[in-house]
């Protein structure tokens, strides 16, 4: 299936010989991968293996910390994102991100949803009725509309964690991203919240390409179509999820997925 | 049966009790001092405040002739306006610079440069106000005469610039703390949504830090209202209803400082100066109260 995909050029992200250093420490070693359009790809591996670092390369949010050196090439939708003419705001509009801890902004639920749109469009270009419709659509997409429609003016930080995390997904949608990166999106949530977010991903996949970092192998198995195993900064194995878990090719992958270490 | 918690004192060593008492005293003393000062100032001025002073004239007349032989007049309107105008102009200068510097230090600086900046800003705060007054009297005086072709440079503008320079360090350090206290996750969230640095600052950081920023501005203003020496030296010290930045003015604080040493203890003039003290007290109290209420109001919203 992977070779067929390459033939059809149906990739959202293609990385070629990607290496990354934090100061002197090399966190990513020669990573090459291709992430399929419209599917959920999981990144798994033990702590410190570079999966979050890799994820944060794809919207260049890594560069928030100084002292980061990147070599190699990352193409998002066919365009090298390290080219000089790439605009970071545009890149981040296309590649949305959900963080480990829900991080809604300390403004109303309504304004959180519109935040992205407001910063990407000219001042006061959004009419009130359009804004209302966009907020409703985004909240409906993450199944929060019925719970929150009467308190859109409430501060987003006052919501329960599960609702906050869904809101963080919802606020990406008005920007019509192609790719959504998720960095352990459920680690702050309880079992019910985790299932709710997973369900949401399944519903939304197809329309969006998901790339999810997770520590939870059961979660990787449940939600992902393809799975990437990383170890000490290297990409060890990238296959369809069921195949990776049932018949891992690399002994390191086998050790990890059979929980001999982790 | 022994009730836990109530008989706590029985097994506690004496040293503990003494230390606790001492700490309690320290806490209470600050309240006592404030009331003590207020009481003293009030007592010195009370006789004349309730017997003889025309309060209407005191607050609304611009005529300040406390030493006139025939007709003593104690009107402080010019002084009140002097204090407010010099403070307002100082804030107009200090707030943009102070907040701008705070944003620069907290969001744009490299860590190394930030440390240097903070040390220099603290140095600026440590300059005694008489030194600022001296700079106003000499350097700024000449500068204003040259730049504005004014007959004399000891003006409201001069005093305001000195006050602005004195309150900027306060505004910068408190505002920078307020910005630093904004969780990094907010910055990350906004950047990951594609916000530029400027959008991040005015859409996320400034709203999130607004309580602290307001406190910074109000503390800067409080410093300006209470400042004495620099304004005494730099504003011309002439009783005048201010007409513009180049007017000579005199403030409430400078009047007390300049005249209290010259008056007969217990006399009318002496008492009026203390009443001005009460007035200053009331003004700062009102500013603090308003600040408190505004901040509480923001918290509720």
């Amino acid at each position: 299936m992977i070779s067929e995909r390459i033939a059809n050029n149906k990739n959202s992200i293609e990385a070629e010989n990607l290496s990354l250093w934090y100061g002197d420490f090399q966190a990513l070693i020669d990573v090459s991968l291709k992430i399929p359009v419209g599917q959920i790809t999981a990144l798994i591996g033990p702590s410190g293996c570079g999966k979050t670092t890799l994820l944060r390369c794809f919207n260049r949010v890594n560069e928030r910390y100084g002292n980061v050196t990147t070599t190699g090439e990352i193409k998002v939708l066919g365009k090298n994102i390290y080219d000089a003419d790439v605009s970071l705001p545009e890149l981040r509009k296309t590649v949305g991100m959900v963080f480990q801890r829900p991080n809604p902004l300390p403004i109303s639920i309504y304004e959180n949803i519109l935040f992205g749109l407001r910063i990407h469009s000219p001042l006061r270009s959004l009419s009130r009725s359009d804004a209302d419709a966009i907020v409703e659509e985004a909240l409906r997409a993450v199944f929060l509309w019925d719970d929150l429609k009467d308190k859109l003016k409430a501060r987003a930080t006052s919501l329960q964690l599960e609702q906050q995390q869904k809101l963080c997904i919802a606020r990406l949608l008005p920007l019509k991203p192609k790719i959504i990166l998720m960095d352990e999106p459920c680690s702050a949530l309880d079992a019910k919240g985790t299932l709710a977010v997973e369900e949401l991903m399944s519903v939304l996949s197809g329309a969006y390409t998901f790339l999810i970092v997770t520590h939870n192998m059961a979660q990787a198995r449940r939600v992902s179509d393809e799975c990437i195993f990383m170890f000490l900064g290297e990409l060890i194995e990238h296959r369809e999820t069921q195949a990776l878990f049932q018949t891992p090719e690399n002994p390191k992958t086998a050790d990890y997925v059979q929980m001999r270490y982790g | 049966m022994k009730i836990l918690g109530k008989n706590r004192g029985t097994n506690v060593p004496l040293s503990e009790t003494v230390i606790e008492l001492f700490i309690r005293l320290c806490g209470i003393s600050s309240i006592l001092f404030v009331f003590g000062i207020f009481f003293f100032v009030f007592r010195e001025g009370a006789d004349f405040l309730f017997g003889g002073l025309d309060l209407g004239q005191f607050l609304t007349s611009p005529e300040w002739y406390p030493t006139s032989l025939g007709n003593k007049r104690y009107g402080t309107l010019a002084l009140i306006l002097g204090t407010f105008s010099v403070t307002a102009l100082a804030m107009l200068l200090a707030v943009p610079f102070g907040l701008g510097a705070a944003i620069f230090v907290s969001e744009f600086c490299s860590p190394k440069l930030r440390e240097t900046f903070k040390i220099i800003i603290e140095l600026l705060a440590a300059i005694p106000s008489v030194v600022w007054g001296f700079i106003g009297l000499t350097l700024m005086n000449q500068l204003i005469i040259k730049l504005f072709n004014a007959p004399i440079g000891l003006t409201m503008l001069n005093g305001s610039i000195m006050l602005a320079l004195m309150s900027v360090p306060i505004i910068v350090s408190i505002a920078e703390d307020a910005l630093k206290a904004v969780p990094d996750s907010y910055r990350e969230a906004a950047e990951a949504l594609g916000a530029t640095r400027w959008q991040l600052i005015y859409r996320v950081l400034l709203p999130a830090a607004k309580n602290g920023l307001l406190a910074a501005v109000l503390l800067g203003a409080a410093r300006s209202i209470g400042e004495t020496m620099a304004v005494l030296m730099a504003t011309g010290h002439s009783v005048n209803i201010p007409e513009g930045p180049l007017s000579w003015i005199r403030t409430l604080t400078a009047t007390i400082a300049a005249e209290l040493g010259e008056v007969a203890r217990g006399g009318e003039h002496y008492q009026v100066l203390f009443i001005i003290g009460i007035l200053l007290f009331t003004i700062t109290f009102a500013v603090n109260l308003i600040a408190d209420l505004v901040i509480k109001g923001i918290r509720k919203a």
Side-chain angles (χ1 to χ4, degrees):
Chain A
M1 180 188 166
I2 291 176
S3 55
E4 174 191 323
R5 205 177 71 224
I6 293 163
N8 295 338
N9 197 18
K10 289 267 188 200
N11 296 321
S12 286
I13 302 174
E14 296 179 15
E16 205 66 55
N17 303 110
L18 178 69
S19 291
L20 182 144
W21 290 261
Y22 293 117
D24 294 334
F25 173 72
Q26 185 166 11
L28 293 178
I29 304 163
D30 216 19
V31 173
S32 299
L33 52 72
K34 292 177 166 51
I35 306 294
V37 165
Q39 303 218 348
I40 301 176
T41 304
L43 282 164
I44 59 169
S47 296
C49 68
K51 34 186 208 305
T52 294
T53 297
L54 179 63
L55 191 78
R56 292 168 72 99
C57 282
F58 299 136
N59 65 351
R60 292 180 58 180
V61 89
N62 259 341
E63 291 162 34
R64 292 191 71 236
Y65 316 116
N67 215 10
V68 175
T69 322
T70 317
T71 62
E73 194 182 66
I74 301 173
K75 280 188 175 163
V76 169
L77 307 171
K79 169 86 183 149
N80 185 359
I81 60 170
Y82 284 91
D83 278 353
D85 64 336
V86 166
S87 127
L88 279 186
E90 284 304 312
L91 170 67
R92 289 167 182 172
K93 195 176 153 186
T94 314
V95 186
M97 186 162 207
V98 178
F99 292 84
Q100 196 165 357
R101 276 205 71 81
N103 57 358
L105 294 165
I107 46 182
S108 67
I109 294 166
Y110 189 87
E111 283 303 321
N112 257 283
I113 304 258
L114 293 175
F115 184 86
L117 219 49
R118 288 204 199 280
I119 59 176
H120 285 287
S121 43
L123 213 58
R124 279 182 262 287
S125 60
L126 200 62
S127 80
R128 180 77 208 196
S129 54
D130 284 351
D132 286 345
I134 287 164
V135 170
E136 178 171 349
E137 194 190 348
L139 285 176
R140 278 194 193 284
V142 298
F143 309 111
L144 277 181
W145 176 251
D146 291 331
D147 291 338
L148 300 185
K149 64 180 175 209
D150 296 325
K151 49 176 182 176
L152 294 175
K153 295 284 166 235
R155 262 173 101 92
T157 40
S158 66
L159 297 175
Q160 303 157 11
L161 282 178
E162 176 193 333
Q163 292 178 324
Q164 287 189 18
Q165 195 63 305
K166 284 180 175 174
L167 180 68
C168 288
I169 298 171
R171 75 177 168 190
L172 301 175
L173 306 182
L175 290 174
K176 308 210 176 350
K178 298 285 182 285
I179 300 161
I180 297 179
L181 309 173
M182 300 185 127
D183 184 5
E184 298 187 43
C186 300
S187 64
L189 306 184
D190 59 15
K192 180 178 143 285
T194 303
L195 281 178
V197 169
E198 286 175 9
E199 239 177 74
L200 185 59
M201 289 175 68
S202 307
V203 174
L204 293 176
S205 73
Y208 307 95
T209 303
F210 280 100
L211 196 57
I212 174 175
V213 163
T214 178
H215 259 119
N216 180 336
M217 272 186 287
Q219 179 172 55
R221 275 184 102 141
R222 279 196 302 268
V223 297
S224 69
D225 302 304
E226 291 188 10
C227 198
I228 294 172
F229 172 66
M230 294 192 60
F231 188 70
L232 298 179
E234 285 180 276
L235 189 151
I236 304 292
E237 194 163 345
H238 177 188
R239 297 168 68 197
E240 282 168 51
T241 302
Q242 290 316 318
L244 185 118
F245 277 96
Q246 279 158 11
T247 54
E249 279 169 356
N250 190 298
K252 285 178 191 157
T253 316
D255 281 350
Y256 184 72
V257 299
Q258 285 151 23
M259 288 196 256
R260 277 191 278 250
Y261 62 87
Chain B
M1 203 172 88
K2 198 165 148 184
I3 300 166
L4 286 174
K6 277 218 163 169
N7 292 335
R8 202 171 58 92
T10 51
N11 295 326
V12 174
L14 187 66
S15 61
E16 287 280 319
T17 324
V18 171
I19 290 169
E20 195 185 313
L21 196 72
F22 179 70
I23 290 172
R24 254 173 216 280
L25 271 177
C26 292
I28 294 166
S29 67
S30 63
I31 301 171
L32 284 179
F33 283 132
V34 171
F35 278 106
I37 291 167
F38 188 72
F39 172 75
F40 171 75
V41 173
F42 193 77
R43 193 193 60 186
E44 293 297 305
D47 272 352
F48 192 50
L49 181 59
F50 296 117
L53 180 71
D54 180 349
L55 207 59
Q57 192 201 30
F58 178 72
L59 291 173
T60 59
S61 160
E63 297 190 343
W64 177 252
Y65 294 113
T67 53
S68 162
L69 287 177
N71 182 15
K72 292 185 175 31
R73 278 152 292 168
Y74 304 109
T76 57
L77 184 66
L79 310 178
I80 295 172
L81 290 178
T83 288
F84 277 109
S85 59
V86 79
T87 301
L89 185 58
M91 286 299 106
L92 217 59
L93 297 171
V95 169
F97 277 101
L99 295 186
I103 290 169
F104 175 73
V105 172
S106 116
E107 305 302 320
F108 291 88
C109 249
S110 67
K112 214 172 160 187
L113 194 60
R114 178 180 305 143
E115 286 314 304
T116 323
F117 255 105
K118 288 183 103 170
I119 291 169
I120 293 174
I121 286 164
E122 274 156 29
L123 266 178
L124 202 63
I127 297 174
S129 70
V130 67
V131 174
W132 286 118
F134 184 68
I135 294 170
L137 202 57
T138 53
L139 191 81
M140 194 52 71
N141 184 19
Q142 298 297 328
L143 211 63
I144 288 175
I145 291 172
K146 281 218 179 92
L147 284 179
F148 298 98
N149 210 7
I152 190 163
L154 299 177
T155 56
M156 177 172 131
L157 178 66
N158 192 336
S160 294
I161 292 170
M162 293 305 122
L163 287 182
L165 284 165
M166 295 168 83
S167 25
V168 157
I170 297 177
I171 296 177
V172 174
S173 49
I174 298 174
E176 199 240 332
D177 283 346
L179 289 170
K180 271 274 153 291
V182 175
D184 198 47
S185 63
Y186 295 166
R187 292 184 183 84
E188 203 168 47
E191 277 181 40
L193 281 164
T196 61
R197 239 166 179 188
W198 175 234
Q199 287 171 329
L200 167 68
I201 287 164
Y202 81 85
R203 286 194 179 267
V204 180
L205 294 183
L206 294 185
K210 63 190 168 192
N211 280 1
L213 297 179
L214 191 70
V217 170
L218 286 168
L219 283 169
R223 161 109 212 225
S224 285
I225 292 174
E227 176 46 45
T228 308
M229 209 56 216
V231 286
L232 174 69
M233 292 164 80
T235 58
H237 201 60
S238 142
V239 183
N240 230 337
I241 297 272
E243 281 160 5
L246 293 178
S247 306
W248 318 306
I249 55 151
R250 194 202 269 201
T251 62
L252 293 165
T253 50
T255 304
I256 299 176
E259 296 182 5
L260 196 59
E262 312 282 326
V263 298
R265 197 193 151 108
E268 273 188 8
H269 188 187
Y270 173 88
Q271 294 199 31
V272 167
L273 291 180
F274 274 91
I275 295 170
I276 292 180
I278 298 172
L279 183 63
L280 266 174
F281 226 126
T282 318
I283 291 170
T284 42
F285 181 73
V287 169
N288 282 342
L289 195 70
I290 291 167
D292 249 23
L293 291 177
V294 168
I295 287 169
K296 271 191 192 128
I298 287 171
R299 261 188 219 135
K300 266 183 207 157

